[in-house]
Coordinates of all heavy atoms in Angstrom, one line a residue:
K82 N 82.7 28.5 29.6 CA 82.0 29.4 28.8 C 80.8 28.7 28.2 O 80.9 27.5 27.8 CB 82.9 30.0 27.7 CG 84.0 30.8 28.2 CD 84.7 31.5 27.0 CE 85.7 32.4 27.6 NZ 86.4 33.1 26.5
G83 N 79.7 29.4 28.1 CA 78.5 28.8 27.6 C 78.5 28.3 26.2 O 77.8 27.4 25.8
D84 N 79.4 28.8 25.4 CA 79.4 28.4 24.0 C 80.4 27.3 23.7 O 80.6 26.9 22.6 CB 79.7 29.6 23.1 CG 81.1 30.3 23.4 OD1 81.6 30.0 24.5 OD2 81.5 31.1 22.6
W85 N 81.1 26.8 24.7 CA 82.1 25.7 24.5 C 81.5 24.5 24.0 O 82.0 23.9 23.0 CB 82.8 25.4 25.8 CG 83.8 26.4 26.3 CD1 84.2 27.5 25.6 CD2 84.6 26.4 27.5 NE1 85.1 28.2 26.3 CE2 85.4 27.5 27.5 CE3 84.7 25.5 28.5 CZ2 86.3 27.8 28.5 CZ3 85.5 25.8 29.6 CH2 86.3 27.0 29.5
A86 N 80.3 24.0 24.5 CA 79.7 22.8 24.0 C 79.4 22.9 22.5 O 79.6 22.0 21.8 CB 78.5 22.5 24.8
K87 N 78.8 24.0 22.1 CA 78.5 24.2 20.7 C 79.8 24.2 19.8 O 79.8 23.6 18.8 CB 77.7 25.5 20.5 CG 77.3 25.7 19.1 CD 76.4 26.9 18.9 CE 76.0 27.0 17.4 NZ 75.1 28.1 17.2
K88 N 80.8 24.9 20.3 CA 82.1 24.9 19.5 C 82.6 23.5 19.4 O 83.1 23.1 18.3 CB 83.1 25.8 20.2 CG 82.8 27.3 20.0 CD 83.9 28.1 20.7 CE 83.6 29.6 20.5 NZ 84.6 30.5 21.2
I89 N 82.6 22.7 20.5 CA 83.2 21.4 20.5 C 82.4 20.5 19.5 O 82.9 19.8 18.6 CB 83.1 20.7 21.9 CG1 84.1 21.4 22.8 CG2 83.4 19.2 21.8 CD1 83.9 21.1 24.3
F90 N 81.0 20.6 19.5 CA 80.2 19.9 18.6 C 80.4 20.3 17.1 O 80.6 19.4 16.3 CB 78.7 20.1 19.0 CG 77.7 19.4 18.1 CD1 77.6 18.0 18.3 CD2 77.0 20.0 17.2 CE1 76.7 17.3 17.6 CE2 76.1 19.3 16.4 CZ 75.9 17.9 16.6
T91 N 80.5 21.6 16.9 CA 80.8 22.1 15.5 C 82.1 21.6 15.0 O 82.2 21.2 13.8 CB 80.6 23.6 15.5 OG1 79.3 24.0 15.9 CG2 80.9 24.2 14.1
L92 N 83.1 21.7 15.8 CA 84.5 21.3 15.4 C 84.4 19.8 15.1 O 85.0 19.4 14.1 CB 85.5 21.6 16.5 CG 85.9 23.0 16.7 CD1 86.7 23.2 18.0 CD2 86.7 23.5 15.5
A93 N 83.8 19.0 15.9 CA 83.7 17.6 15.6 C 82.9 17.3 14.3 O 83.3 16.4 13.6 CB 83.1 16.8 16.8
Q94 N 81.8 18.0 14.1 CA 81.1 17.8 12.9 C 81.9 18.2 11.7 O 81.7 17.5 10.6 CB 79.8 18.7 12.9 CG 78.7 18.1 13.6 CD 77.4 19.0 13.4 OE1 77.5 20.2 13.4 NE2 76.3 18.3 13.3
N95 N 82.8 19.1 11.8 CA 83.6 19.6 10.7 C 84.9 18.8 10.6 O 85.9 19.2 9.9 CB 83.9 21.1 10.8 CG 82.7 21.9 10.6 OD1 81.8 21.5 9.9 ND2 82.6 23.0 11.3
N96 N 84.9 17.6 11.3 CA 86.1 16.7 11.3 C 87.4 17.4 11.8 O 88.5 17.0 11.4 CB 86.3 16.1 10.0 CG 87.0 14.7 10.1 OD1 86.9 14.1 11.1 ND2 87.7 14.4 9.1
Q97 N 87.2 18.4 12.7 CA 88.4 19.1 13.3 C 88.6 18.5 14.7 O 88.5 19.2 15.7 CB 88.2 20.6 13.3 CG 88.1 21.3 12.0 CD 87.7 22.7 12.1 OE1 86.6 23.0 12.4 NE2 88.7 23.6 11.9
I98 N 88.9 17.2 14.6 CA 88.9 16.4 15.9 C 90.0 16.9 16.8 O 89.7 17.0 18.0 CB 89.1 14.9 15.6 CG1 87.9 14.5 14.6 CG2 89.2 14.1 16.8 CD1 86.5 14.7 15.2
P99 N 91.2 17.2 16.4 CA 92.2 17.7 17.4 C 91.8 18.9 18.1 O 92.0 19.1 19.3 CB 93.5 17.9 16.5 CG 93.3 17.0 15.3 CD 91.8 17.0 15.1
E100 N 91.2 19.9 17.3 CA 90.7 21.1 17.9 C 89.6 20.9 18.9 O 89.5 21.5 20.0 CB 90.3 22.1 16.9 CG 91.4 22.6 16.0 CD 91.7 21.7 14.8 OE1 91.2 20.6 14.7 OE2 92.5 22.2 13.9
A101 N 88.7 20.0 18.5 CA 87.6 19.6 19.4 C 88.1 19.0 20.7 O 87.6 19.3 21.8 CB 86.6 18.7 18.7
L102 N 89.0 18.1 20.6 CA 89.6 17.4 21.7 C 90.3 18.4 22.7 O 90.2 18.3 23.9 CB 90.5 16.3 21.3 CG 89.9 15.0 20.8 CD1 90.9 14.1 20.2 CD2 89.0 14.4 21.9
A103 N 91.0 19.3 22.1 CA 91.7 20.3 22.9 C 90.7 21.2 23.7 O 90.9 21.5 24.9 CB 92.6 21.2 22.0
L104 N 89.7 21.6 23.0 CA 88.7 22.4 23.7 C 87.9 21.6 24.8 O 87.6 22.1 25.8 CB 87.7 23.0 22.7 CG 86.7 24.0 23.2 CD1 87.4 25.2 24.0 CD2 85.8 24.6 22.1
Q105 N 87.7 20.3 24.4 CA 87.0 19.4 25.4 C 87.9 19.3 26.7 O 87.4 19.3 27.8 CB 86.7 18.1 24.8 CG 86.0 17.1 25.7 CD 84.6 17.5 26.1 OE1 83.8 17.7 25.3 NE2 84.4 17.7 27.4
H106 N 89.2 19.1 26.4 CA 90.1 19.0 27.6 C 90.1 20.2 28.4 O 90.1 20.2 29.7 CB 91.5 18.6 27.1 CG 91.7 17.2 26.6 ND1 91.4 16.1 27.4 CD2 92.0 16.8 25.4 CE1 91.6 15.0 26.7 NE2 92.0 15.4 25.5
R107 N 90.1 21.4 27.8 CA 90.0 22.7 28.5 C 88.7 22.8 29.3 O 88.8 23.2 30.5 CB 90.2 23.8 27.6 CG 90.2 25.2 28.3 CD 90.9 26.2 27.4 NE 90.7 27.6 27.9 CZ 91.5 28.1 28.9 NH1 92.4 27.4 29.4 NH2 91.3 29.3 29.3
Y108 N 87.6 22.4 28.7 CA 86.4 22.4 29.4 C 86.4 21.4 30.6 O 85.9 21.8 31.7 CB 85.2 22.1 28.5 CG 83.9 22.1 29.1 CD1 83.3 23.3 29.4 CD2 83.2 21.0 29.4 CE1 82.1 23.4 30.0 CE2 81.9 21.0 30.0 CZ 81.4 22.3 30.3 OH 80.2 22.3 31.0
N109 N 86.9 20.2 30.4 CA 87.1 19.3 31.5 C 87.9 19.8 32.6 O 87.6 19.6 33.8 CB 87.7 18.0 31.0 CG 86.8 17.2 30.1 OD1 85.6 17.5 29.9 ND2 87.3 16.2 29.4
D110 N 89.0 20.5 32.3 CA 89.8 21.2 33.3 C 89.0 22.2 34.1 O 89.2 22.3 35.4 CB 91.1 21.8 32.7 CG 92.0 20.8 32.1 OD1 92.0 19.6 32.5 OD2 92.9 21.2 31.3
Y111 N 88.2 23.0 33.4 CA 87.4 24.0 34.1 C 86.4 23.3 35.1 O 86.3 23.7 36.2 CB 86.6 24.8 33.0 CG 85.5 25.6 33.6 CD1 85.7 26.7 34.3 CD2 84.2 25.2 33.3 CE1 84.6 27.4 34.8 CE2 83.1 25.9 33.8 CZ 83.3 27.1 34.6 OH 82.3 27.8 35.1
V112 N 85.7 22.3 34.6 CA 84.8 21.6 35.5 C 85.5 21.0 36.7 O 85.0 21.1 37.8 CB 84.0 20.5 34.7 CG1 83.2 19.6 35.6 CG2 83.1 21.1 33.6
E113 N 86.6 20.4 36.5 CA 87.4 19.9 37.6 C 87.8 20.9 38.6 O 87.7 20.8 39.8 CB 88.6 19.1 37.1 CG 89.4 18.4 38.1 CD 90.6 17.6 37.6 OE1 90.6 17.4 36.3 OE2 91.4 17.2 38.4
D114 N 88.3 22.1 38.1 CA 88.7 23.2 39.0 C 87.5 23.7 39.8 O 87.6 23.9 41.0 CB 89.3 24.4 38.2 CG 90.6 24.1 37.6 OD1 91.3 23.1 38.0 OD2 91.1 24.9 36.7
V115 N 86.3 23.8 39.2 CA 85.2 24.3 39.9 C 84.7 23.2 40.9 O 84.4 23.6 42.1 CB 84.0 24.6 38.9 CG1 82.7 24.8 39.7 CG2 84.3 25.8 38.1
L116 N 84.7 22.0 40.6 CA 84.3 20.9 41.5 C 85.3 20.8 42.7 O 84.8 20.7 43.8 CB 84.2 19.6 40.8 CG 83.1 19.4 39.8 CD1 83.2 18.0 39.1 CD2 81.7 19.5 40.5
N117 N 86.5 21.0 42.4 CA 87.5 20.9 43.5 C 87.4 22.1 44.5 O 87.9 22.0 45.6 CB 88.9 20.8 42.9 CG 89.2 19.5 42.3 OD1 88.6 18.5 42.6 ND2 90.2 19.5 41.4
N118 N 86.9 23.2 44.0 CA 86.8 24.4 44.9 C 85.4 24.5 45.6 O 85.3 25.3 46.5 CB 87.0 25.6 44.0 CG 87.4 26.8 44.8 OD1 88.3 26.7 45.7 ND2 86.7 27.9 44.6
G119 N 84.5 23.6 45.2 CA 83.1 23.7 45.8 C 82.2 24.2 44.7 O 82.2 25.4 44.4
L120 N 81.3 23.3 44.2 CA 80.5 23.5 43.1 C 79.6 24.8 43.2 O 79.9 25.7 42.4 CB 79.7 22.3 42.8 CG 78.7 22.4 41.6 CD1 79.5 22.6 40.3 CD2 77.9 21.2 41.5
Y121 N 78.6 24.7 44.0 CA 77.6 25.8 44.0 C 78.2 27.1 44.5 O 78.0 28.2 43.9 CB 76.4 25.4 44.9 CG 75.6 24.3 44.2 CD1 75.6 23.1 44.8 CD2 74.9 24.5 43.1 CE1 74.9 22.0 44.2 CE2 74.2 23.5 42.4 CZ 74.2 22.3 43.0 OH 73.5 21.3 42.4
Q122 N 79.1 27.1 45.5 CA 79.7 28.3 46.0 C 80.6 28.9 45.0 O 80.5 30.2 44.8 CB 80.5 28.0 47.3 CG 79.8 27.3 48.4 CD 79.8 25.8 48.4 OE1 79.8 25.2 47.3 NE2 79.8 25.2 49.5
T123 N 81.3 28.1 44.3 CA 82.2 28.7 43.2 C 81.4 29.2 42.0 O 81.8 30.3 41.5 CB 83.2 27.6 42.8 OG1 84.0 27.1 43.9 CG2 84.2 28.1 41.7
L124 N 80.4 28.5 41.6 CA 79.6 29.0 40.5 C 78.9 30.4 40.9 O 78.9 31.3 40.1 CB 78.5 28.0 40.2 CG 79.0 26.7 39.5 CD1 77.8 25.8 39.2 CD2 79.7 27.0 38.2
K125 N 78.5 30.5 42.1 CA 77.9 31.8 42.6 C 79.0 32.9 42.6 O 78.7 34.0 42.1 CB 77.3 31.7 43.9 CG 75.9 31.0 44.0 CD 75.3 31.1 45.3 CE 73.9 30.7 45.3 NZ 73.2 31.0 46.5
E126 N 80.2 32.6 43.0 CA 81.3 33.5 43.0 C 81.7 33.9 41.6 O 81.9 35.1 41.3 CB 82.4 33.0 43.8 CG 83.6 34.0 44.0 CD 83.2 35.1 45.0 OE1 82.2 35.0 45.8 OE2 83.9 36.1 44.9
L127 N 81.7 32.9 40.7 CA 82.0 33.2 39.3 C 81.0 34.1 38.7 O 81.3 35.0 37.9 CB 82.2 31.9 38.5 CG 83.4 31.1 38.8 CD1 83.3 29.7 38.1 CD2 84.7 31.8 38.5
L128 N 79.7 33.9 39.0 CA 78.7 34.8 38.5 C 78.9 36.2 39.0 O 78.7 37.2 38.2 CB 77.3 34.3 38.9 CG 76.8 33.1 38.1 CD1 75.5 32.5 38.8 CD2 76.5 33.4 36.7
A129 N 79.2 36.3 40.2 CA 79.5 37.7 40.8 C 80.7 38.3 40.1 O 80.6 39.5 39.8 CB 79.7 37.6 42.3
L130 N 81.7 37.6 39.8 CA 82.9 38.1 39.1 C 82.5 38.5 37.7 O 83.2 39.4 37.1 CB 84.0 37.1 39.1 CG 84.6 36.8 40.5 CD1 85.6 35.6 40.5 CD2 85.4 38.0 41.0
H131 N 81.5 37.9 37.1 CA 81.0 38.3 35.8 C 80.1 39.5 35.9 O 79.7 40.0 34.8 CB 80.2 37.1 35.2 CG 81.1 36.1 34.4 ND1 81.7 36.4 33.3 CD2 81.4 34.8 34.7 CE1 82.4 35.3 32.8 NE2 82.2 34.4 33.7
G132 N 79.8 40.0 37.1 CA 79.0 41.1 37.2 C 77.5 40.8 37.3 O 76.7 41.7 37.3
V133 N 77.2 39.6 37.5 CA 75.8 39.2 37.7 C 75.4 39.5 39.2 O 76.0 38.9 40.1 CB 75.5 37.7 37.4 CG1 74.1 37.3 37.7 CG2 75.9 37.4 35.9
S134 N 74.5 40.4 39.4 CA 74.2 40.8 40.7 C 73.3 39.7 41.3 O 72.5 39.1 40.7 CB 73.5 42.1 40.8 OG 72.3 42.1 40.0
G135 N 73.4 39.5 42.6 CA 72.6 38.5 43.3 C 73.3 38.1 44.6 O 74.4 38.6 44.9
Q136 N 72.7 37.3 45.3 CA 73.2 36.8 46.5 C 74.3 35.8 46.3 O 74.1 34.8 45.6 CB 72.1 36.2 47.4 CG 72.5 35.8 48.8 CD 71.4 35.3 49.6 OE1 70.2 35.3 49.1 NE2 71.7 34.8 50.7
T137 N 75.5 36.0 46.9 CA 76.6 35.1 46.7 C 76.7 34.2 47.9 O 77.4 33.2 47.9 CB 77.9 35.8 46.5 OG1 78.2 36.6 47.6 CG2 78.0 36.5 45.2
A138 N 75.9 34.5 49.0 CA 75.9 33.6 50.2 C 75.1 32.3 49.8 O 74.2 32.4 49.0 CB 75.3 34.3 51.3
V139 N 75.5 31.2 50.4 CA 74.8 30.0 50.3 C 74.1 29.6 51.6 O 74.5 30.1 52.7 CB 75.7 28.8 49.8 CG1 76.2 29.1 48.4 CG2 76.8 28.6 50.8
R140 N 73.0 28.8 51.5 CA 72.3 28.4 52.7 C 72.8 27.1 53.2 O 73.4 26.3 52.5 CB 70.8 28.4 52.4 CG 70.2 29.7 52.1 CD 68.7 29.6 51.9 NE 68.5 29.3 50.4 CZ 67.4 28.8 49.9 NH1 66.4 28.7 50.7 NH2 67.3 28.6 48.6
A141 N 72.6 26.9 54.5 CA 72.9 25.6 55.1 C 72.2 24.5 54.3 O 71.1 24.7 53.8 CB 72.5 25.6 56.6
P142 N 72.8 23.3 54.2 CA 74.0 22.8 54.8 C 75.3 23.2 54.1 O 76.4 22.6 54.5 CB 73.8 21.3 54.9 CG 73.0 21.1 53.6 CD 72.2 22.3 53.4
M143 N 75.3 24.0 53.1 CA 76.5 24.3 52.3 C 77.3 25.3 53.1 O 76.8 26.3 53.7 CB 76.2 24.8 50.9 CG 75.7 23.8 50.0 SD 75.5 24.5 48.4 CE 73.9 23.9 47.9
A144 N 78.6 25.1 53.1 CA 79.5 26.0 53.8 C 79.7 27.3 52.9 O 79.7 27.2 51.6 CB 80.8 25.3 54.0
Q145 N 80.0 28.4 53.5 CA 80.3 29.6 52.8 C 81.7 29.4 52.2 O 82.5 28.6 52.8 CB 80.3 30.8 53.7 CG 79.0 31.1 54.3 CD 77.9 31.5 53.3 OE1 78.2 32.2 52.4 NE2 76.7 31.0 53.5
L146 N 82.0 30.1 51.2 CA 83.4 30.1 50.6 C 84.4 30.7 51.6 O 84.1 31.7 52.2 CB 83.5 30.9 49.3 CG 83.0 30.2 48.0 CD1 83.2 31.2 46.9 CD2 83.8 28.9 47.8
T147 N 85.5 30.0 51.8 CA 86.5 30.6 52.6 C 87.3 31.7 51.8 O 87.1 31.7 50.6 CB 87.5 29.5 53.1 OG1 88.2 29.0 51.9 CG2 86.8 28.4 53.8
D148 N 88.1 32.4 52.4 CA 88.9 33.4 51.7 C 89.8 32.7 50.6 O 90.0 33.2 49.5 CB 89.8 34.2 52.6 CG 88.9 35.2 53.4 OD1 87.8 35.5 53.0 OD2 89.4 35.7 54.5
V149 N 90.3 31.5 51.0 CA 91.2 30.8 50.1 C 90.4 30.3 48.9 O 90.8 30.4 47.7 CB 91.8 29.5 50.8 CG1 92.5 28.6 49.8 CG2 92.8 30.0 51.9
Q150 N 89.1 29.9 49.1 CA 88.3 29.4 48.0 C 87.9 30.6 47.1 O 87.8 30.5 45.9 CB 87.0 28.7 48.5 CG 87.3 27.3 49.1 CD 86.1 26.8 49.8 OE1 85.5 27.4 50.7 NE2 85.7 25.6 49.3
K151 N 87.6 31.8 47.8 CA 87.3 33.0 47.0 C 88.5 33.4 46.1 O 88.3 33.7 44.9 CB 86.9 34.1 47.9 CG 85.6 34.0 48.5 CD 85.2 35.2 49.3 CE 83.9 35.1 50.0 NZ 83.5 36.2 50.8
D152 N 89.7 33.3 46.6 CA 90.9 33.6 45.8 C 91.0 32.6 44.7 O 91.3 32.9 43.6 CB 92.1 33.5 46.7 CG 92.2 34.7 47.7 OD1 91.5 35.7 47.5 OD2 93.0 34.6 48.6
Q153 N 90.7 31.3 45.0 CA 90.8 30.3 43.9 C 89.7 30.5 42.9 O 90.0 30.3 41.7 CB 90.6 28.9 44.5 CG 90.8 27.7 43.5 CD 92.1 27.7 42.8 OE1 93.2 28.2 43.4 NE2 92.2 27.3 41.6
A154 N 88.5 31.0 43.2 CA 87.5 31.3 42.3 C 88.0 32.4 41.3 O 87.7 32.4 40.1 CB 86.2 31.7 43.0
K155 N 88.7 33.4 41.9 CA 89.3 34.4 41.0 C 90.3 33.9 40.1 O 90.4 34.3 38.9 CB 89.9 35.5 41.9 CG 88.9 36.3 42.6 CD 89.5 37.3 43.6 CE 88.4 38.0 44.4 NZ 88.9 38.8 45.5
V156 N 91.1 32.9 40.5 CA 92.1 32.2 39.7 C 91.4 31.5 38.5 O 91.8 31.6 37.4 CB 93.0 31.3 40.5 CG1 93.8 30.4 39.6 CG2 93.9 32.0 41.4
I157 N 90.3 30.8 38.9 CA 89.5 30.1 37.9 C 88.9 31.1 36.9 O 89.0 30.9 35.7 CB 88.4 29.3 38.5 CG1 89.0 28.1 39.4 CG2 87.4 28.7 37.5 CD1 88.0 27.4 40.3
F158 N 88.4 32.2 37.4 CA 87.8 33.2 36.5 C 88.8 33.7 35.5 O 88.6 33.8 34.3 CB 87.2 34.4 37.4 CG 86.6 35.5 36.6 CD1 85.3 35.4 36.1 CD2 87.4 36.6 36.3 CE1 84.8 36.4 35.3 CE2 86.8 37.6 35.5 CZ 85.5 37.5 35.1
N159 N 90.0 34.1 36.1 CA 91.1 34.6 35.2 C 91.6 33.6 34.2 O 91.9 34.0 33.1 CB 92.2 35.2 36.1 CG 91.8 36.4 36.8 OD1 90.9 37.2 36.3 ND2 92.3 36.7 38.0
K160 N 91.6 32.4 34.6 CA 92.2 31.3 33.8 C 91.2 31.0 32.6 O 91.7 30.8 31.5 CB 92.4 30.0 34.6 CG 93.0 28.9 33.8 CD 93.2 27.7 34.8 CE 93.8 26.5 34.1 NZ 94.0 25.4 35.0
Y161 N 89.9 31.0 32.8 CA 89.0 30.6 31.8 C 88.2 31.7 31.2 O 87.6 31.5 30.1 CB 88.1 29.5 32.4 CG 88.8 28.3 32.8 CD1 89.1 28.0 34.1 CD2 89.3 27.4 31.9 CE1 89.8 26.9 34.5 CE2 90.0 26.2 32.2 CZ 90.2 26.0 33.6 OH 90.9 24.9 34.0
F162 N 88.0 32.8 31.8 CA 87.1 33.8 31.3 C 87.8 35.2 30.9 O 87.1 36.0 30.4 CB 86.0 34.1 32.3 CG 85.2 32.8 32.5 CD1 85.3 32.1 33.7 CD2 84.3 32.4 31.5 CE1 84.5 31.0 33.9 CE2 83.5 31.3 31.7 CZ 83.6 30.5 32.9
S163 N 89.0 35.4 31.3 CA 89.7 36.6 30.9 C 90.4 36.4 29.6 O 91.1 35.4 29.4 CB 90.7 37.0 32.0 OG 90.1 37.3 33.2
N164 N 90.1 37.2 28.7 CA 90.7 37.1 27.4 C 91.9 37.9 27.2 O 92.1 38.9 27.6 CB 89.6 37.4 26.3 CG 88.5 36.3 26.3 OD1 88.8 35.2 26.7 ND2 87.3 36.7 26.0

C-alpha cells in the first residue's frame, strides 16, 4: 500500500518500534511476494485488480504472466489489499 512507508516512519518517530517493525515485515513480505511472481507483470496485474485501466500485457523481452502467475497475483492482492 502506498501509505505503508509513511506509517512505518510515523510509528518509528513516535517510538512505536514494535508496531513499525511489524508493518515493515509485512511490507517486506509483500515486496518478496511480488518479486517472486515477476515484478513488472505482477505490478501491472495488481493495478488491473485495483481497477486501474490500462494495458496489462508486457512487451518483449518480458514474458506474459502465466495463468498460475495471474492466480498468484490475485492471492497477493487479496492478502495485502483486501480489507
Side-chain angles (χ1 to χ4, degrees):
K82 293 184 174 183
D84 59 346
W85 284 357
K87 184 176 180 175
K88 284 183 183 178
I89 293 166
F90 184 74
T91 301
L92 288 167
Q94 277 188 319
N95 293 330
N96 206 29
Q97 294 174 287
I98 303 304
E100 293 88 348
L102 286 172
L104 188 55
Q105 180 66 57
H106 287 301
R107 183 159 171 80
Y108 183 73
N109 291 349
D110 291 343
Y111 165 71
V112 170
E113 185 176 346
D114 287 347
V115 169
L116 289 174
N117 287 338
N118 200 49
L120 177 62
Y121 291 110
Q122 301 92 327
T123 301
L124 291 176
K125 283 187 167 193
E126 188 68 20
L127 290 173
L128 286 171
L130 291 169
H131 273 292
V133 176
S134 60
Q136 184 178 354
T137 57
V139 294
R140 292 184 274 166
M143 288 187 226
Q145 300 295 321
L146 280 180
T147 64
D148 289 339
V149 171
Q150 288 173 304
K151 285 182 183 182
D152 290 343
Q153 184 59 31
K155 289 175 187 170
V156 169
I157 293 168
F158 179 82
N159 290 331
K160 182 176 179 181
Y161 296 102
F162 298 104
S163 294
N164 294 329

